[in-house]
């Protein structure tokens, strides 16, 4: 399938590892000009050098000025972004009963406010041109809150509500706004969560991983490449009538429709 994004400019936040990197690689493989972004500038540049047409940018998006730095770097390299992939680091595990207000504020800042700043900087040009794609890397916790991950659940749910509202406001301008929700994808983040659970429950990590796989109808963790492929589709021309939705890439993990 031709996704129709050859030559499009894509900014992928937090793309020096995990799901963000997978999305950047998938978009680059489809011919997009990709801006790889992350706090580790050297790594961002290394990853960009491995892609057909990409630049690496060192940026901390939790810094209020970070989104502007990233968007200006994209414009200097390629022009106004056509595709914006929102992504952020997963907050630390924690319970609702033990929630600290300061931690919640930090989670909202990284998972909602930084993303909104990026949207505000890129959306006007998309609307003027009559074409744009905004895609957020979310979590299955939006559909079914995950135990022990209250900060992620709260911050990502807030982002989902904002994006769902935005989608209806800009659909007539040719801009789609969607979320892609991973389940258990084999990334360093998931490995760290499995290790943390194993420590809490005093169980071997292999036992925790086996239990997680048993809860997934597909019987396995997903691969970053599978997630990236789904993201590329949502950023492409064939998905022009898909907006305001949260697509799950979870192997059937979440049981609700």
């Amino acid at each position: 399938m031709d996704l129709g994004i050859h030559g499009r400019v894509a900014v992928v936040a937090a793309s020096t590892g995990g799901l963000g990197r997978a999305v950047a690689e998938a978009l680059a493989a489809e011919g997009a000009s990709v801006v790889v972004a992350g706090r580790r500038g050297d790594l961002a540049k290394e990853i960009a050098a491995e892609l057909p047409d990409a630049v690496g940018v060192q940026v901390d998006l939790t810094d209020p000025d970070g989104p502007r730095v990233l968007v200006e770097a994209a414009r200097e390299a390629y022009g106004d972004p056509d595709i914006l992939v929102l992504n952020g680091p997963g907050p630390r595990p924690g319970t609702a009963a033990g929630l600290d207000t300061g931690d919640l504020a930090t989670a909202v800042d990284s998972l909602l406010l930084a993303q909104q700043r990026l949207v505000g900087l890129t959306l006007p040009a998309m609307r003027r041109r009559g074409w744009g794609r905004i895609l957020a890397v979310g979590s299955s916790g939006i559909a079914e809150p995950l135990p022990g991950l209250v900060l992620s659940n709260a911050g990502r749910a807030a982002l989902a509500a904002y994006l769902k509202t935005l989608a209806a406001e800009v659909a007539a301008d040719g801009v789609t706004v969607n979320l892609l929700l991973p389940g258990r994808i084999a990334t360093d983040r998931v490995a760290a969560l499995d290790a943390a659970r194993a420590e809490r429950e005093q169980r071997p990590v292999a036992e925790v991983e086996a239990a997680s796989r048993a809860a997934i109808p597909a019987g396995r963790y997903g691969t970053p490449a599978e997630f990236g492929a789904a993201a590329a589709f949502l950023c492409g021309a064939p998905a022009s009538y898909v907006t305001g939705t949260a697509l799950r890439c979870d192997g059937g993990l979440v049981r609700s429709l």
Side-chain angles (χ1 to χ4, degrees):
M1 180 183 293
D2 181 3
L3 297 186
I5 56 175
H6 190 278
R8 295 286 188 182
V9 178
V11 172
V12 185
S15 49
T16 53
L19 299 179
R21 179 171 181 171
V23 174
E25 290 173 344
L27 293 173
E30 294 295 331
S33 300
V34 177
V35 180
V36 177
R39 296 175 182 175
R40 296 170 291 179
D42 290 343
L43 181 56
K45 292 178 174 61
E46 288 176 13
I47 293 170
E50 297 172 358
L51 302 179
D53 184 16
V55 296
V57 177
Q58 180 175 359
V59 63
D60 181 355
L61 292 175
T62 62
D63 183 324
D65 202 39
R68 181 191 61 79
V69 170
L70 176 55
V71 174
E72 287 188 355
R75 288 179 176 140
E76 181 177 348
Y78 298 117
D80 284 313
D82 303 291
I83 298 167
L84 173 64
V85 179
L86 303 171
N87 189 27
R92 67 171 181 80
T95 63
L99 185 62
D100 179 87
T101 302
D103 286 341
L104 181 59
T106 299
V108 170
D109 188 46
S110 63
L111 295 176
L112 174 62
L113 300 185
Q115 320 299 340
Q116 188 277 327
R117 293 184 187 107
L118 281 171
V119 171
L121 290 164
T122 56
L123 180 61
M126 293 180 184
R127 299 181 83 176
R128 285 195 303 270
R129 294 195 302 269
W131 200 98
R133 299 288 183 266
I134 297 173
L135 177 66
V137 176
S139 164
S140 61
I142 293 172
E144 184 179 285
L146 300 169
L149 290 177
V150 65
L151 295 175
S152 177
N153 293 338
R156 296 188 196 281
L159 177 64
Y162 161 68
L163 293 176
K164 177 63 175 176
T165 306
L166 178 67
E169 296 174 359
V170 301
D173 299 318
V175 179
T176 68
V177 183
N178 293 293
L179 295 98
L180 184 58
L181 312 184
R184 306 291 290 180
I185 310 293
T187 63
D188 290 343
R189 164 73 171 172
V190 168
L193 291 174
D194 284 344
R197 180 182 172 188
E199 184 176 355
R200 287 196 311 272
E201 299 177 1
Q202 295 297 296
R203 300 164 62 194
V205 173
E207 186 177 307
V208 168
E209 292 173 345
S212 292
R213 288 194 297 271
I216 302 169
R220 62 177 178 85
Y221 287 2
T223 68
E226 288 173 318
F227 186 89
F233 170 74
L234 289 173
C235 292
S240 59
Y241 203 57
V242 180
T243 194
T245 193
L247 174 68
R248 295 200 295 264
C249 182
D250 68 353
L253 176 64
V254 176
R255 297 304 200 266
S256 62
L257 289 173

